[in-house]
C-alpha cells in the first residue's frame, strides 16, 4: 500500500474538537494531517452563534490557560459579550460571547493554514488502516488515497452516518447540507468499537429585516472588554444587540395540532436527545401548563442578516415551522431563511476510552468531541485539546496528561465520560463539578498554565507574564492580611461611615475589613495603594480570595479528602474482577468494562455502590497484608 | 492474589459458663480437627457436612483436654463460606485457651477481630448493610433490639432517608437550575423564607432520627448504671437481689466492695449495665480512697445513677453533697432508700426521685424496676431507629451542614454558589447512607421540574 504522505498524527474532522487537536499536535512539533470533509467548513458553528455561558465559559478559559485556540478566536470574533450569574457568586460568573460565526470559521482556518507541521486535506475517511500487529498505519479515503499515520484522532462530530430529519423527510446528510461520513462507522465496528445513535436539533434561521423590533425586548452586551484569553487581547468587531421574545398560545395550538407530524413522536427519530436542549414541540408536550416559552434572537454576525432563534429548535415539517415562527411575538411577518431540523448521528460509548481519550481496544486511536457523546462546541474543543496533547505525549513516550476533577472542568468532563459514559448528549454544567469554587474561570490560568507551559503549548513570554500576574495577586492578598489599620485612621473611618459599616473599636487587619460585605478591596487600595499597578481582573481575584477565604478553605479540605481516593491506585494485575467473589455480577461487569485507575474513579462508576467499594478495599487490603507477611 | 489460610478463635465470651465454642475456618479446618479430635462415632472419618460428632479433644502429648461436640460444615455452606469446624467444649476459659493453642500449633492462625465476618463478606455471604445488621442481630440482647435489627434489614430506614434526600434535592435543584440555566425561566417559587422553613422541617426530621440513635443505642447496648451510696447501705445486696444471685462479697463491714463490679441485668426490654462502686465517705484508707475516686469516674460515664441510702440513717451531709453534685452534672438519678424492712415508719421527709425498697425482702423492687424503665423506654416505639454509628455520623454531618447553610442564608449576603456548597454536603452525607449519585439525582430533578432548553 502506498501512502501519499506520512504523518505522525492524523486528525479526522475539522470542527471544534479536530481543530484544537490538530493545533496542539502541530504546535508540539508533530507532523500532522487534518482531514476534513469540506475545507470551507473548518471551525463551523452549525448551531447557536455563541460561545461560553455557565460551565462552558469555564471550559473555554481552561482551554486558553492550557494554550488552546478557542478562547482567543472567540475574543477576536465576538460581537456581544455578557457576564452571566454576576449575582450568584464568584464560582459561577460566566462569560458568554455572541460570535460572528463566519469570521470565527475564517479565523480558525487562518490560524491552521499558517501553522508549521500541519497539512490540511479535504476528503472523507473510509477506513482506519491497521497492520497485522494491530498497529495503526494510516487512513484510507473514499477517493482511494491513503495517508500514513502513527496515531489517529477521530473527531467526527455530528457527521458520523448522520441523518437530517424534517417532518417525514429523512436525508443522509451532515449539518447545514454538508455531506456526512458514510463509511467510517463501519470501519470502527470492524475494530470492535460499537456505535449508537444520538440526536440533536437546531432552530430555523430568519431574516432580521423581517422582524418587528418594536415588539422585541433588547438585550445589550455588558462586558465588551472581558476576554476568554488570559493575555486579554481584545477583538475589534462592532458590538450588536440580541433580542428577547416569547411564543404565544397560538404557537402552542399549532404545535399541538401537528404533533403527530413530528418525527420525534411518529417514531422516525430513535436516537436519544438531550434533556436540556429539547425541541419546542417537546417543551410544549412536557410542560402543558406553560402557555408561553422564552426565546432569544441572536445575530449570526454583525454584518449578516441571518439570525438564530434560540429556544425554538424543531423538526416539524417546513410548512408547520413557518406557521409556528409567525405566531411568535414580533415575528408575525418573519421570513424563514433556513428550516430547523433534527440530526441523528453515531457516537461511541466513551467508557471504551482511557482517561487520555485513547481507545482501550486499539492503541493510538483517540476519540474527541461529539463522537464521545458530548454536545457543545466548548466540550468538543476541550476534548480535542486533551486528545491532541495525549497523542503527542504518547508518541514522545512521555507521561500522559490526565486532569483531575479537582483542578478543572476538563477533568470533570473526561472523567464523567470515561467513567460513567453518558445516556444522552452530555453538556457541562457547573453542578457537575464538586469543587466549583476552586474551579473559577478567573483562576483557570493558576490551575493550568504551568501544565500548558511544561507541555510546550504556552510560550516562555506568556508564562513569565502569568507568573508575574499571580505574584502580584498573592502579594496583595498577603499585604491585606498583614496591613493593620489603626482604629483612629481617618480615611478608613470616613470610608466606613460612608459604607454604613460598623465603626472600628480597635485596630483591625485590612483583610478583616474586606471580609465585611459592604467594604471592597478597591476601597482599601484607594487609601493604601499597592506598589505595582493592579489590573481590574487581578483586583477582582484578590478580593475574592480574601472575601471567600473560609469557603475556599472548606473546598480545599474536600479536595484533600477526594484526593485520597484518587491516590489509592488499583494494581494493574487486577484486570478481571471475577477474582473477587463477593462482588455482584453487575459490579464485576461494570468494573471490568471501565477498568478504573483508582478507588476514587471506581466509586464514581454508576451502579457501583459503597458496599462494592468496601469489598474492593477489603480485598486489596487483605492482599497487601498477605504480601507483607509473605515477604 | 489472595491466598487462603485457616483461622481459628474462641467465639464465645471467656467466662465460666455452660458451653464455649471455638471456630476454625479455612481449607485446613478438617485436617486440623482430625489431629485434635477423636470422635466416638467412626462415621466422623467421612466428614459428612452439617453433622455433629461427640468425642474427645486432646493435645499433642495425647493428654485429654475435654469432651466436646464437633460440628462440620463444608464450604460454601457455612457462615464464612469456607470449610468450617465448630468445637463446643465446656465453658471453661482454661480449656478453651488450651484447645485454641493446640489448633494454632496445628497450622491455623488466630483470627483478627471481625475476620470471620470479613471472610463471610468477601465470600459473598453478606453485603455491607446486611453484615452491619447481622452484627447487630448477633448482639441483640432482647426482643426490641432484635426487631430493630430486622427493621434495618428491611431497609425502612433507607426509605426514610430517601424522603429526606428528596426534600433536600428539590431545594438544591432550584438553586442550581438558576445558576446553570440563567436564560431559562426558573419559577421564583423559592424565596429565602420558603427555603428556610423547608430546611427547618428537614432539620426536625434529622434531629428525630438522631435522637432515636440514643434510644436505639440504649435498646441495643443497655444503660450504663452506677450504684453509689455510703458504705454498708446495701449496694451489693441490691445488686444481688436484682441479679437473683450472690456475686459481690457482702459483709457488714463498711467499705468491703473496693473494686467496682460490672453486671448486666435485664428489666423487661431494657438492659442495665450496673457498676457497683465502693462506698463514698471521708476516709484515710488509701485503697478506699482510690475506690472513691473511681466512683466519681463512673458517675461521669453513667447514664443512670442509683443512689442508695439507709432508711435508718436518712440523708447525711455527705449525701446532700452528692445529691447536689448529681443535680449539677445533670444526670438521671434515683434515690433508693433501702432497708425499709428495718424501720417501722419512714423517718425521712419526702425526697424527690425517691423509692423505698428492701433489698432483703424484695419490697419496692418492682416499683424500682418500672421507674427505671419509664426513665429510658418511651412508650411509643418510633418507626425508625438509628442504631448504626456510621449512619449516625452521616446524619450528624448532614445536620451540621444544614446548620451552616441556615446561618449563611440568614446573613443574606452569601451568594448562591457558596450556599449550595453546604447544601450539597448535607445531601452527600445522606447519600452515603443510601449510596446514590449526587449529580445524576440533581440533573434528573432539574430536568423533570423546570422547562429548560435553548
Amino acid at each position: 500500500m502506498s501512502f501519499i504522505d506520512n504523518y505522525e498524527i492524523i486528525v479526522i474532522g475539522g470542527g471544534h474538537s479536530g481543530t484544537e487537536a490538530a493545533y496542539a499536535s502541530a504546535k508540539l512539533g508533530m507532523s500532522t494531517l487534518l482531514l476534513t470533509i469540506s475545507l470551507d467548513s473548518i471551525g463551523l458553528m452549525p448551531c447557536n452563534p455563541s460561545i461560553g455561558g455557565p460551565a462552558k465559559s469555564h471550559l473555554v478559559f481552561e482551554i486558553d490557560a492550557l494554550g488552546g485556540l478557542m478562547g482567543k478566536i472567540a475574543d477576536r470574533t465576538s460581537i456581544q459579550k455578557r457576564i452571566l450569574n454576576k449575582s450568584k457568586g464568584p464560582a459561577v460568573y460566566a462569560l458568554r460571547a455572541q460570535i460572528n460565526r463566519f469570521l470565527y470559521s475564517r479565523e480558525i482556518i487562518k490560524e491552521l493554514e499558517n501553522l508549521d507541521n500541519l497539512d490540511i486535506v479535504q476528503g472523507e475517511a473510509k477506513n482506519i488502516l491497521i497492520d497485522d500487529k494491530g498497529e495503526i498505519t494510516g487512513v484510507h479515503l473514499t477517493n482511494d488515497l491513503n495517508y500514513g499515520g502513527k496515531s489517529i484522532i477521530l473527531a467526527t462530530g455530528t457527521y458520523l452516518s448522520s441523518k437530517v430529519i424534517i417532518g417525514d423527510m429523512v436525508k443522509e446528510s451532515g449539518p447545514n447540507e454538508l455531506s456526512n461520513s458514510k463509511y467510517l462507522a463501519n470501519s470502527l465496528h470492524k475494530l470492535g468499537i460499537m456505535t449508537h445513535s444520538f440526536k440533536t436539533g437546531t432552530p430555523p434561521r430568519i431574516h432580521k429585516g423581517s422582524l418587528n423590533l418594536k415588539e422585541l425586548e433588547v438585550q445589550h452586551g455588558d462586558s465588551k472588554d472581558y476576554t476568554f484569553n488570559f493575555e486579554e487581547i481584545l477583538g475589534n468587531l462592532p458590538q450588536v444587540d440580541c433580542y428577547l421574545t416569547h411564543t404565544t398560545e397560538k404557537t402552542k395550538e399549532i404545535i399541538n395540532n401537528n404533533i403527530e407530524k413530528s418525527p420525534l413522536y411518529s417514531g422516525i427519530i430513535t436516537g436519544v436527545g438531550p434533556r436540556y436542549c429539547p425541541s419546542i414541540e417537546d417543551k410544549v408536550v412536557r410542560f402543558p401548563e406553560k402557555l408561553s416559552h422564552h426565546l432569544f434572537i441572536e445575530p449570526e454576525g454583525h454584518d449578516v442578516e441571518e439570525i438564530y432563534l434560540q429556544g425554538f429548535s424543531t423538526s416539524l415539517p417546513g410548512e408547520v415551522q413557518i406557521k409556528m415562527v409567525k405566531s411568535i411575538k414580533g415575528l408575525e411577518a418573519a421570513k424563514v431563511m433556513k428550516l430547523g431540523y433534527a440530526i441523528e448521528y453515531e457516537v461511541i460509548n466513551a467508557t471504551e476510552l482511557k482517561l487520555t481519550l485513547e481507545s482501550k481496544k486499539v492503541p493510538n486511536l483517540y476519540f474527541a468531541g461529539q463522537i464521545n457523546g458530548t454536545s457543545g462546541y466548548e466540550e468538543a474543543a476541550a476534548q480535542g485539546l486533551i486528545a491532541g496533547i495525549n497523542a503527542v505525549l504518547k508518541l514522545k513516550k512521555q507521561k500522559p496528561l490526565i486532569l483531575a476533577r479537582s483542578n478543572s472542568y476538563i477533568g470533570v468532563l473526561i472523567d464523567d465520560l470515561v467513567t460513567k459514559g453518558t445516556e444522552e448528549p452530555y453538556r457541562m454544567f457547573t453542578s457537575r463539578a464538586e469543587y466549583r469554587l476552586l474551579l473559577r474561570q478567573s483562576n483557570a490560568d493558576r490551575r493550568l498554565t504551568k501544565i500548558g507551559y511544561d507541555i510546550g503549548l504556552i510560550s516562555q513570554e506568556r508564562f513569565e507574564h502569568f507568573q508575574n500576574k499571580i505574584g502580584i495577586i498573592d502579594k496583595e492578598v498577603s499585604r491585606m492580611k498583614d496591613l493593620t489599620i489603626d482604629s483612629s485612621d481617618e480615611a478608613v473611618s470616613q470610608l466606613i461611615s460612608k459604607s454604613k459599616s460598623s465603626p472600628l473599636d480597635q485596630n483591625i487587619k485590612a483583610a478583616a475589613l474586606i471580609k465585611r460585605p459592604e467594604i471592597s478591596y478597591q476601597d482599601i487600595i484607594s487609601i493604601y495603594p499597592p506598589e505595582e499597578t493592579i489590573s481590574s481582573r487581578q483586583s477582582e481575584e484578590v478580593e475574592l480570595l480574601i472575601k471567600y477565604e473560609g469557603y475556599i478553605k472548606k473546598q480545599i479540605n474536600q479536595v484533600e479528602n477526594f484526593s485520597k481516593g484518587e491516590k489509592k491506585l488499583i494494581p494493574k494485575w487486577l484486570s478481571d474482577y471475577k477474582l473477587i467473589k463477593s462482588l455482584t455480577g453487575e459490579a464485576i461487569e461494570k468494573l471490568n468494562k471501565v477498568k478504573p485507575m483508582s478507588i476514587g474513579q471506581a466509586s464514581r462508576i454508576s451502579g457501583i455502590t459503597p458496599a462494592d467499594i468496601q469489598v474492593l478495599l477489603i480485598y486489596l487490603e487483605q492482599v497487601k497484608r498477605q504480601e507483607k507477611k509473605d515477604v | 492474589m489472595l491466598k487462603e489460610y485457616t483461622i481459628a478463635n474462641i467465639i464465645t465470651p471467656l467466662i465460666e459458663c455452660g458451653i464455649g465454642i471455638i471456630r476454625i475456618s479455612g481449607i485446613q479446618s478438617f485436617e486440623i480437627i482430625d489431629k485434635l479430635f477423636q470422635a466416638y462415632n467412626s462415621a466422623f472419618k467421612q466428614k459428612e457436612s452439617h453433622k455433629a460428632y461427640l468425642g474427645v479433644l486432646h493435645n499433642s502429648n495425647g493428654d485429654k483436654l475435654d469432651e466436646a461436640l464437633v460440628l462440620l460444615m463444608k464450604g460454601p455452606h457455612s457462615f464464612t463460606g469456607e470449610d468450617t469446624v465448630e468445637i463446643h467444649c465446656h465453658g471453661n476459659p482454661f480449656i478453651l485457651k488450651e484447645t485454641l493453642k493446640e489448633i494454632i500449633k496445628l497450622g491455623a492462625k488466630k483470627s483478627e477481630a471481625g475476620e470471620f465476618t470479613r471472610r463471610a463478606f468477601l465470600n459473598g455471604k453478606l453485603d455491607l448493610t446486611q453484615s452491619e445488621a447481622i452484627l447487630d442481630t448477633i448482639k441483640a440482647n432482647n426482643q426490641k433490639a432484635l426487631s430493630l435489627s430486622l427493621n434495618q434489614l428491611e431497609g425502612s430506614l433507607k426509605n426514610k432517608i430517601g424522603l429526606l434526600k428528596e426534600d433536600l434535592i428539590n431545594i438544591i435543584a432550584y438553586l442550581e437550575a438558576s445558576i446553570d440555566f440563567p436564560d431559562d425561566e426558573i419559577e421564583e417559587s423559592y424565596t429565602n423564607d420558603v427555603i428556610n422553613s423547608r430546611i427547618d422541617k428537614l432539620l426536625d426530621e434529622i434531629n428525630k432520627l438522631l435522637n432515636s440513635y440514643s434510644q436505639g443505642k440504649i435498646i441495643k447496648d443497655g444503660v450504663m448504671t452506677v450504684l453509689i451510696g455510703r458504705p454498708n447501705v446495701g449496694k451489693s445486696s441490691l445488686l444481688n437481689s436484682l441479679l437473683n444471685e450472690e456475686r459481690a462479697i457482702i459483709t457488714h463491714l463498711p467499705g468491703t466492695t473496693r473494686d467496682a463490679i460490672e453486671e448486666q441485668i435485664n428489666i423487661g426490654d431494657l438492659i442495665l449495665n450496673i457498676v457497683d462502686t465502693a462506698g463514698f465517705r471521708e476516709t484515710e484508707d488509701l485503697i478506699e480512697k482510690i475506690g472513691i475516686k473511681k466512683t466519681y469516674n463512673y458517675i461521669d460515664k453513667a447514664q443512670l445513677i442509683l443512689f442508695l441510702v439507709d432508711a435508718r440513717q436518712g440523708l447525711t451531709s455527705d449525701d446532700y453533697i452528692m445529691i447536689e453534685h448529681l443535680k449539677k452534672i445533670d444526670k438521671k438519678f434515683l434515690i433508693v432508700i433501702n432497708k425499709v424492712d428495718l424501720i417501722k415508719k419512714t423517718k425521712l421527709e419526702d425526697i424527690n426521685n425517691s423509692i423505698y425498697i428492701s433489698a432483703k425482702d424484695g419490697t419496692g423492687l418492682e416499683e424500682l424496676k418500672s421507674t427505671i424503665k419509664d426513665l429510658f423506654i418511651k412508650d411509643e416505639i418510633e418507626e425508625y431507629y438509628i442504631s448504626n454509628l456510621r449512619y449516625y455520623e452521616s446524619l450528624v454531618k448532614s445536620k451540621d451542614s444544614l446548620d451552616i447553610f441556615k446561618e449563611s442564608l440568614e446573613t443574606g449576603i452569601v451568594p448562591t454558589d457558596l450556599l449550595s456548597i453546604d447544601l450539597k454536603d448535607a445531601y452527600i452525607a445522606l447519600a452515603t447512607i443510601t449510596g446514590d449519585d449526587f449529580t445524576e439525582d440533581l440533573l434528573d430533578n432539574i430536568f423533570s421540574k423546570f422547562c429548560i432548553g435553548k
Side-chain angles (χ1 to χ4, degrees):
Chain A
M1 185 174 297
S2 69
F3 292 119
I4 301 294
D5 258 316
N6 281 294
Y7 297 91
E8 274 156 318
I9 293 173
I10 299 175
V11 179
I12 299 175
H16 303 285
S17 188
T19 51
E20 292 286 353
Y23 177 79
S25 163
K27 268 263 172 188
L28 295 175
M30 291 284 155
S31 64
T32 308
L33 170 69
L34 176 63
L35 191 63
T36 171
I37 279 179
S38 159
L39 276 182
D40 302 336
S41 59
I42 288 175
L44 180 75
M45 300 172 79
C47 200
N48 54 320
S50 71
I51 282 176
K56 287 169 168 277
S57 77
H58 292 73
L59 286 170
V60 181
F61 276 82
E62 289 177 3
I63 290 167
D64 187 76
L66 283 168
L69 269 181
M70 182 171 258
K72 61 182 181 189
I73 307 295
D75 286 323
R76 223 181 276 171
T77 56
S78 67
I79 51 174
Q80 187 198 84
K81 277 188 174 171
R82 289 176 65 212
I83 293 193
L84 308 176
N85 285 340
K86 261 188 197 153
S87 64
K88 287 170 191 150
V92 297
Y93 294 159
L95 179 60
R96 189 169 60 209
Q98 299 303 138
I99 304 287
N100 183 323
R101 71 175 178 89
F102 301 95
L103 288 181
Y104 186 89
S105 167
R106 195 57 234 144
E107 288 294 320
I108 292 271
I109 292 171
K110 262 200 252 171
E111 283 281 340
L112 298 182
E113 281 177 346
N114 294 313
L115 205 57
D116 289 342
N117 308 319
L118 179 66
D119 288 346
I120 308 175
V121 165
Q122 177 167 305
E124 183 189 341
K126 189 172 182 182
N127 274 311
I128 289 157
L129 301 173
I130 288 205
D131 65 14
D132 28 352
K133 278 178 272 166
E135 277 168 21
I136 284 182
T137 57
V139 61
H140 173 70
L141 272 56
T142 53
N143 58 16
D144 268 343
L145 300 182
N146 298 312
Y147 290 89
K150 294 176 186 160
S151 288
I152 292 180
I153 299 170
L154 280 182
T156 56
T158 56
Y159 291 72
L160 196 62
S161 305
S162 58
K163 285 181 283 192
V164 163
I165 303 146
I166 302 175
D168 56 6
M169 184 214 78
V170 183
K171 187 171 155 187
E172 291 261 332
S173 166
N176 218 16
E177 300 291 326
L178 286 158
S179 92
N180 66 353
S181 170
K182 292 178 188 64
Y183 307 98
L184 205 52
N186 197 27
S187 171
L188 288 179
H189 298 164
K190 279 188 207 149
L191 294 173
I193 295 167
M194 291 301 122
T195 62
H196 59 279
S197 298
F198 270 4
K199 170 248 158 190
T200 187
T202 197
R205 312 299 200 275
I206 294 155
H207 193 286
K208 193 179 168 194
S210 66
L211 303 177
N212 181 0
L213 294 181
K214 272 179 269 167
E215 289 291 312
L216 307 175
E217 189 186 318
V218 183
Q219 197 174 46
H220 305 296
D222 61 11
S223 317
K224 184 171 169 288
D225 295 339
Y226 206 93
T227 59
F228 291 110
N229 79 82
F230 280 97
E231 290 159 298
E232 301 189 47
I233 302 165
L234 295 172
N236 56 8
L237 295 181
Q239 301 295 290
V240 298
D241 291 329
C242 295
Y243 301 91
L244 253 154
T245 184
H246 56 81
T247 64
T248 61
E249 286 190 52
K250 198 170 167 210
T251 322
K252 194 178 161 187
E253 193 189 314
I254 298 168
I255 290 170
N256 279 329
N257 288 341
N258 290 283
I259 198 69
E260 79 283 354
K261 293 176 190 156
S262 159
L264 280 174
Y265 293 89
S266 66
I268 294 176
I269 292 177
T270 53
V272 185
R275 285 175 297 176
Y276 49 82
C277 194
S279 60
I280 185 71
E281 49 268 31
D282 225 6
K283 291 195 237 180
V284 165
V285 171
R286 284 184 48 217
F287 296 91
E289 68 285 358
K290 286 196 72 143
L291 301 179
S292 99
H293 296 268
H294 270 295
L295 300 174
F296 293 83
I297 291 172
E298 302 178 6
E300 303 233 339
H302 63 283
D303 50 0
V304 183
E305 286 301 303
E306 185 188 337
I307 58 120
Y308 177 89
L309 193 51
Q310 173 173 174
F312 208 71
S313 156
T314 178
S315 54
L316 281 161
E319 210 181 319
V320 181
Q321 285 193 27
I322 291 170
K323 269 193 217 161
M324 282 156 56
V325 167
K326 287 175 188 280
S327 73
I328 297 168
K329 193 177 169 227
L331 272 69
E332 293 80 5
K335 300 266 189 212
V336 173
M337 297 173 80
K338 265 188 219 167
L339 290 177
Y341 59 83
I343 183 164
E344 272 194 309
Y345 54 99
E346 292 295 292
V347 299
I348 65 155
N349 191 340
T351 56
E352 299 247 9
L353 306 179
K354 300 178 187 171
L355 287 164
T356 56
L357 296 179
E358 185 185 6
S359 161
K360 285 175 193 160
K361 285 203 185 91
V362 184
N364 296 324
L365 180 61
Y366 294 79
F367 290 79
Q370 275 184 281
I371 192 171
N372 288 343
T374 57
S375 83
Y377 312 139
E378 303 84 349
E379 288 85 346
Q383 293 171 69
L385 179 60
I386 299 299
I389 290 172
N390 277 320
V392 172
L393 291 176
K394 188 168 175 198
L395 290 183
K396 287 186 178 173
K397 297 195 164 57
Q398 289 175 10
K399 223 180 123 215
L401 175 64
I402 295 171
L403 297 177
R405 299 184 76 86
S406 51
N407 79 359
S408 60
Y409 276 86
I410 299 178
V412 173
L413 169 72
I414 294 175
D415 183 64
D416 274 351
L417 288 174
V418 168
T419 308
K420 297 180 184 171
T422 179
E423 303 283 317
E424 66 180 326
Y426 177 104
R427 175 175 151 188
M428 185 46 79
F429 301 115
T430 68
S431 53
R432 294 194 194 269
E434 295 85 347
Y435 315 109
R436 182 160 79 180
L437 181 55
L438 304 181
L439 308 186
R440 306 180 297 278
Q441 55 177 33
S442 62
N443 72 350
D445 57 345
R446 193 189 281 262
R447 293 183 275 122
L448 302 171
T449 291
K450 171 83 167 58
I451 295 173
Y453 171 73
D454 289 341
I455 289 169
L457 285 174
I458 299 283
S459 69
Q460 184 66 31
E461 186 195 350
R462 181 171 164 190
F463 185 62
E464 279 165 15
H465 181 243
F466 152 76
Q467 283 183 311
N468 182 37
K469 173 198 153 179
I470 296 295
I472 292 175
I473 292 171
D474 290 347
K475 217 162 110 188
E476 275 303 281
V477 171
S478 45
R479 186 171 74 99
M480 290 300 110
K481 286 185 176 171
D482 294 340
L483 177 66
T484 304
I485 291 173
D486 200 284
S487 58
S488 61
D489 187 314
E490 254 185 49
V492 173
S493 299
Q494 268 178 19
L495 166 72
I496 283 174
S497 72
K498 212 176 71 194
S499 321
K500 299 196 174 90
S501 191
S502 50
L504 299 181
D505 45 13
Q506 56 190 21
N507 297 352
I508 188 171
K509 295 287 183 199
L513 259 184
I514 294 170
K515 280 187 181 163
R516 295 184 176 185
E518 57 282 355
I519 308 281
S520 71
Y521 166 69
Q522 286 292 348
D523 292 335
I524 301 295
I525 57 173
S526 67
I527 302 166
Y528 294 99
E531 277 173 36
E532 290 160 278
T533 49
I534 185 160
S535 77
S536 70
R537 260 162 92 162
Q538 285 166 346
S539 77
E540 271 172 35
E541 191 66 6
V542 173
E543 164 133 344
L544 182 157
L545 288 173
I546 295 172
K547 265 201 177 2
Y548 302 115
E549 191 188 8
Y551 282 95
I552 290 173
K553 270 192 189 149
K554 192 184 279 187
Q555 289 241 295
I556 288 173
N557 287 339
Q558 290 174 335
V559 166
E560 273 165 15
N561 249 331
F562 158 83
S563 301
K564 279 181 203 155
E566 301 306 293
K567 281 183 197 147
K568 262 188 210 124
L569 296 181
I570 295 175
K572 288 238 164 69
W573 57 257
L574 185 54
S575 57
D576 188 355
Y577 284 82
K578 275 192 204 118
L579 277 174
I580 309 176
K581 286 177 234 155
S582 45
L583 285 173
T584 61
E586 191 195 350
I588 290 170
E589 192 197 319
K590 287 187 163 152
L591 288 164
N592 275 343
K593 193 165 148 201
V594 177
K595 301 217 189 318
M597 276 176 42
S598 63
I599 291 290
Q601 194 191 355
S603 70
R604 291 190 294 275
I605 298 171
S606 53
I608 295 295
T609 64
D612 295 328
I613 295 299
Q614 287 290 336
V615 173
L616 189 53
L617 281 172
I618 292 171
Y619 179 84
L620 293 174
E621 180 61 30
Q622 298 256 97
V623 172
K624 212 168 92 192
R625 280 192 202 175
Q626 197 165 328
E627 278 166 359
K628 251 186 219 160
K629 280 181 192 165
D630 288 350
V631 166
Chain B
M1 227 106 327
L2 198 60
K3 262 190 266 164
E4 309 287 337
Y5 55 88
T6 301
I7 52 171
N9 214 335
I10 302 160
I11 58 172
T12 45
L14 268 183
I15 48 168
E16 294 221 17
C17 57
I19 288 173
I21 302 175
I22 296 171
R23 179 186 282 149
I24 316 172
S25 176
I27 41 170
Q28 279 180 280
S29 308
F30 288 7
E31 190 187 315
I32 291 171
I33 196 67
D34 245 355
K35 293 179 184 155
L36 184 73
F37 177 75
Q38 201 154 24
Y40 298 141
N41 188 337
S42 61
F44 178 69
K45 288 193 187 98
Q46 319 306 319
K47 300 285 176 301
E48 207 178 323
S49 186
H50 292 79
K51 286 254 158 104
Y53 302 91
L54 192 64
V56 182
L57 292 168
H58 36 71
N59 64 17
S60 45
N61 303 328
D63 302 331
K64 179 177 164 184
L65 289 168
D66 196 12
E67 185 174 54
L69 191 67
V70 164
L71 303 180
L72 300 180
M73 284 157 279
K74 276 204 178 115
H77 305 292
S78 68
F79 174 68
T80 58
E82 302 169 331
D83 285 353
T84 299
V85 173
E86 278 182 11
I87 308 170
H88 296 225
C89 338
H90 291 101
N92 175 324
F94 175 75
I95 293 177
L96 288 165
K97 282 183 195 164
E98 284 301 304
T99 309
L100 183 62
K101 260 191 220 163
E102 287 303 316
I103 293 169
I104 287 163
K105 268 192 212 160
L106 291 169
K109 293 186 182 172
K110 193 172 167 184
S111 74
E112 290 162 25
E115 200 172 356
F116 289 114
T117 315
R118 197 157 69 218
R119 287 194 174 199
F121 177 60
L122 279 172
N123 288 322
K125 306 293 279 189
L126 310 167
D127 80 19
L128 189 66
T129 36
Q130 258 181 345
S131 63
E132 279 168 349
I134 279 176
L135 282 177
D136 284 347
T137 312
I138 294 166
K139 284 196 233 149
N141 289 325
N142 55 40
Q143 207 48 45
K144 219 171 235 172
L146 195 61
S147 69
L148 217 124
S149 304
L150 293 177
N151 228 356
Q152 193 163 314
L153 276 174
E154 283 160 16
S156 68
L157 177 68
K158 288 196 172 177
N159 290 338
K160 177 69 186 170
I161 302 283
L163 292 175
L164 297 181
K165 269 174 42 199
E166 205 176 305
D167 285 347
L168 190 51
I169 207 147
N170 280 329
I171 302 168
I172 302 176
Y174 161 73
L175 294 176
E176 292 293 314
S178 72
I179 287 173
D180 273 325
F181 305 96
D183 289 339
D184 285 283
E185 307 148 86
I186 308 301
E187 289 74 11
E188 295 287 328
S189 55
Y190 287 65
T191 59
N192 279 6
D193 284 346
V194 172
I195 293 176
N196 215 353
S197 76
R198 288 201 178 198
I199 296 291
D200 281 341
K201 263 191 212 152
L202 256 170
L203 277 169
D204 266 2
E205 295 286 329
I206 290 178
N207 279 329
K208 261 189 220 158
L209 282 173
L210 287 175
N211 289 338
S212 82
Y213 179 68
S214 51
Q215 183 78 26
K217 219 174 132 48
I218 278 171
I219 289 174
K220 207 173 78 180
D221 297 341
V223 178
M224 168 71 178
T225 308
V226 172
L227 211 53
I228 59 169
R230 272 175 285 124
N232 211 24
V233 294
K235 295 188 293 296
S236 303
S237 318
L238 172 61
L239 183 61
N240 286 337
S241 58
L242 286 172
L243 280 167
N244 287 328
E245 62 183 287
E246 295 265 318
R247 178 61 49 85
I249 312 149
I250 305 162
T251 69
H252 297 287
L253 291 170
T256 323
T257 313
R258 283 194 176 130
D259 255 341
I261 291 176
E262 209 175 321
E263 288 294 348
Q264 202 174 60
I265 64 160
N266 281 42
I267 304 182
D269 285 335
L270 187 68
I271 306 158
L272 297 187
N273 299 307
I274 302 189
V275 178
D276 181 9
T277 64
F280 62 88
R281 59 167 181 181
E282 289 302 309
T283 176
E284 293 306 313
D285 181 322
L286 185 65
I287 296 171
E288 213 178 309
K289 262 190 178 168
I290 294 168
I292 290 164
K293 199 176 162 213
K294 274 190 183 162
T295 303
Y296 275 91
N297 287 342
Y298 279 112
I299 289 174
D300 270 354
K301 287 187 232 156
Q303 290 166 297
L304 170 68
I305 294 130
L306 297 179
F307 183 15
L308 223 62
V309 174
D310 189 325
R312 293 168 304 178
Q313 295 166 340
L315 293 171
T316 66
S317 59
D318 279 354
D319 294 340
Y320 280 112
I321 291 168
M322 180 53 86
I323 289 173
E324 281 313 304
H325 177 71
L326 293 177
K327 280 184 185 163
K328 210 170 70 194
I329 59 173
D330 199 23
K331 296 256 174 179
K332 285 182 181 165
F333 70 94
L334 288 173
I335 298 169
V336 183
I337 299 158
N338 192 18
K339 306 188 184 177
V340 287
D341 54 320
L342 299 180
I343 52 167
K344 294 243 164 62
K345 253 197 294 179
T346 151
K347 283 183 194 166
L348 300 169
E349 64 271 35
D350 272 346
I351 309 168
N352 281 344
N353 296 356
S354 63
I355 293 169
Y356 289 83
I357 63 156
S358 162
K360 204 169 157 198
D361 68 12
T363 313
L365 279 182
E366 283 314 306
E367 192 196 343
L368 176 64
K369 286 181 185 174
S370 71
T371 310
I372 293 171
K373 252 170 86 172
D374 290 346
L375 276 177
F376 288 94
I377 303 251
K378 289 172 195 151
D379 281 344
E380 269 177 58
I381 299 177
E382 294 203 24
E383 234 177 308
Y384 313 99
Y385 279 105
I386 300 287
S387 60
N388 176 307
L389 182 64
R390 194 166 66 83
Y391 295 174
Y392 179 77
E393 284 171 347
S394 295
L395 283 166
V396 169
K397 259 192 211 161
S398 188
K399 174 186 169 336
D400 289 349
S401 298
L402 289 177
D403 284 337
I404 298 171
F405 169 79
K406 265 178 66 86
E407 275 174 38
S408 312
L409 189 69
E410 270 160 30
T411 64
I413 53 156
V414 178
T416 316
D417 62 345
L418 302 185
L419 283 174
S420 72
I421 291 177
D422 290 308
L423 277 191
K424 279 187 203 169
D425 276 356
Y427 184 89
I428 289 165
L430 294 180
T432 55
I433 298 178
T434 54
D436 296 305
D437 184 276
F438 169 72
T439 312
E440 285 312 308
D441 287 354
L442 176 68
L443 293 177
D444 286 347
N445 193 296
I446 290 178
F447 295 135
S448 67
K449 212 174 315 134
F450 304 114
C451 179
I452 268 158
K454 288 188 170 183

